């Protein structure tokens, strides 16, 4: 049994927070996958982004339970499948599925790391470094071989791929594609829900889905950029600083173009004159011009284009987070 969400029954602050922060785990999933496909640190990065995504999803679940008022209603949303007409119920199922996949992924990443550590220690003590687990033999990663072995075999250079158990190796492709699919679904989910059940004119425009997707990607890229800029060198994430900086610049460019076309479509439609007035000179003007345009777009784009130092990238990432969250809140609230 879910609450009747209609345009005549406005949602409260908790649901607003829900639609804002759901962009973080979806964006982290998409950006982490993309960086891995482009040759990024992959498993090493997921060791930090997956727990952050899982913690965010747990917090979102708590918000939903609190907003519903009774925990059993949230349980029914997860377990019943005759309520697929309820957009909140579909969102709850997506959150639960992504959270379950993240638990498996976190387990696999930690398992890989421990097996690599055991194999490397065995090799450094003078053994072969191989570790036997079930029917699979774990060889030491290439980065732990001695200089003499590397020269003899021609394997000097970056470390080879991480290894894991046979079960983990079989599960990870399925889990990886599942995380990608649920991340993409949750990135677009707010636009689908709000266009059906909320009175916000912005949520019903043709560009709302793209704006929700772009703000999700910006939140994910900014979080990874902040991690790369502030993490100690021993974590091995400093190499992400350059590609994430470029990614943020590209996303900000796409975001700016989308905002311009969205604004033109609103200005050219007399039905949206109230929305335009509310954003340009009305109650939401300060949030729009200061948080979304200045802090969230112009300032970080200028900083990232000029500066490459860690502190500036970190500051730009924080500004992007502020602007993306403000934009998502406006998509939810303007006209409602």
């Amino acid at each position: 049994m879910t609450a009747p969400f209609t345009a005549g029954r406005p949602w409260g602050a908790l649901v607003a927070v829900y639609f804002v922060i759901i962009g973080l785990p979806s964006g982290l999933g998409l950006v982490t996958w993309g960086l891995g496909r482009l040759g990024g640190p992959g498993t090493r990065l997921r060791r930090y982004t997956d727990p952050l995504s899982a913690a965010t999803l747990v917090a979102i679940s708590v918000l939903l339970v609190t907003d519903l008022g009774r925990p059993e209603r949230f349980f029914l949303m997860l377990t019943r499948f005759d309520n697929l007409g309820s957009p909140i119920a579909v969102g709850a199922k997506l959150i639960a599925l992504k959270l379950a996949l993240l638990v498996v992924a976190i387990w696999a990443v930690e398992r890989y790391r421990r097996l690599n550590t055991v194999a490397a220690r065995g090799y450094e003590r003078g053994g072969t470094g191989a570790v036997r687990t079930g029917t699979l033999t774990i060889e030491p990663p290439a980065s732990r071989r001695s200089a003499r072995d590397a020269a003899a075999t021609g394997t000097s250079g970056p470390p080879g791929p991480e290894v894991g158990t046979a079960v983990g190796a079989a599960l990870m492709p399925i889990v990886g594609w599942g995380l990608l699919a649920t991340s993409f679904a949750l990135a677009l989910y707010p636009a689908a829900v709000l266009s059906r059940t909320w009175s916000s004119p912005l949520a019903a425009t043709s560009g709302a889905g793209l704006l929700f997707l772009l703000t999700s990607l910006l939140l994910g890229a900014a979080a990874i950029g902040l991690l790369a800029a502030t993490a100690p060198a021993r974590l091995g994430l400093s190499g992400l600083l350059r590609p994430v900086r470029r990614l943020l610049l590209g996303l900000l460019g796409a975001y700016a173009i989308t905002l311009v076309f969205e604004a033109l479509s609103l200005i050219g439609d007399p039905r949206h004159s109230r929305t335009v007035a509310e954003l340009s000179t009305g109650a939401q003007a300060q949030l729009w011009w200061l948080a979304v345009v200045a802090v969230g777009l112009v300032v970080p784009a200028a900083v990232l284009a000029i500066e490459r130092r860690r502190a500036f990238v970190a500051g730009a990432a924080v500004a992007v987070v502020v602007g993306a969250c403000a934009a998502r809140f406006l998509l939810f609230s303007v006209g409602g």
Side-chain angles (χ1 to χ4, degrees):
M1 298 294 293
T2 57
F5 297 114
T6 64
R9 180 173 178 170
W11 292 337
L14 290 179
V15 180
V17 174
Y18 162 54
F19 280 113
V20 169
I21 66 175
I22 193 66
L24 177 60
S26 56
L28 279 172
L30 294 172
V31 175
T32 300
W33 179 86
L35 290 174
R37 301 290 287 186
L38 293 174
T43 303
R44 191 182 306 124
L45 176 61
R46 290 183 57 188
R47 189 184 176 201
Y48 304 99
T49 58
D50 284 354
L52 178 58
S53 295
T56 307
L57 291 175
V58 170
I60 289 170
S61 301
V62 173
L63 284 177
L64 288 178
V65 171
T66 305
D67 185 71
L68 288 170
R70 292 185 299 176
E72 67 271 17
R73 299 183 74 180
F74 184 74
F75 177 75
L76 288 174
M77 286 196 300
L78 297 179
T79 56
R80 288 180 55 176
F81 290 88
D82 59 349
N83 58 359
L84 295 180
S86 168
I88 293 295
V90 173
K93 289 177 174 62
L94 284 172
I95 290 171
L97 177 58
K98 183 175 174 66
L99 189 56
L101 291 170
L102 282 170
V103 170
V104 176
I106 291 169
W107 168 82
V109 168
E110 287 303 308
R111 180 66 172 166
Y112 288 176
R113 185 182 67 85
R114 291 174 184 174
L115 288 172
N116 281 328
T117 301
V118 171
R121 287 175 179 172
Y123 193 84
E124 289 170 353
R125 286 196 298 265
T128 63
V131 176
R132 189 77 175 176
T133 172
T135 59
L136 184 66
T137 300
I138 308 301
E139 297 293 341
S143 60
R144 299 291 186 137
R145 294 173 181 170
S146 66
R148 182 187 60 188
D149 291 343
T153 59
T155 56
S156 58
E162 284 96 347
V163 292
T165 64
V167 174
L171 279 178
M172 286 316 294
I174 300 173
V175 172
W177 286 109
L179 285 172
L180 178 64
T182 52
S183 296
F184 189 75
L186 286 174
L188 295 177
Y189 164 74
V193 175
L194 295 177
S195 63
R196 291 181 52 195
T197 59
W198 184 248
S199 59
S200 171
L202 284 180
T205 58
S206 58
L210 183 56
L211 285 172
F212 272 114
L213 176 61
L214 284 172
T215 50
S216 291
L217 292 170
L218 283 169
L219 285 172
I224 294 174
L226 192 59
L227 179 63
T230 59
R234 60 183 175 80
L235 297 184
L237 299 177
S238 58
L240 283 171
L241 208 58
R242 185 175 179 182
V244 170
R245 172 178 163 270
R246 291 180 175 179
L247 176 61
L248 280 172
L249 279 171
L251 288 173
L252 287 171
Y255 182 48
I257 293 172
T258 304
L259 286 177
V260 169
F261 278 100
E262 180 77 349
L264 290 175
S265 67
L266 291 174
I267 294 171
D269 191 339
R271 295 174 299 176
H272 294 301
S273 57
R274 177 170 172 259
T275 302
V276 173
E278 188 174 352
L279 285 172
S280 58
T281 59
Q284 303 290 359
Q286 189 173 15
L287 188 61
W288 163 253
W289 292 113
L290 182 60
V292 177
V293 176
V295 175
L297 182 59
V298 176
V299 170
V303 169
L304 291 170
I306 298 172
E307 287 288 348
R308 301 182 181 182
R309 285 174 285 181
R310 287 172 176 265
F312 287 92
V313 174
V318 172
V320 167
V321 170
V322 171
C325 288
R328 294 175 74 89
F329 176 76
L330 290 176
L331 285 167
F332 174 86
S333 63
V334 169

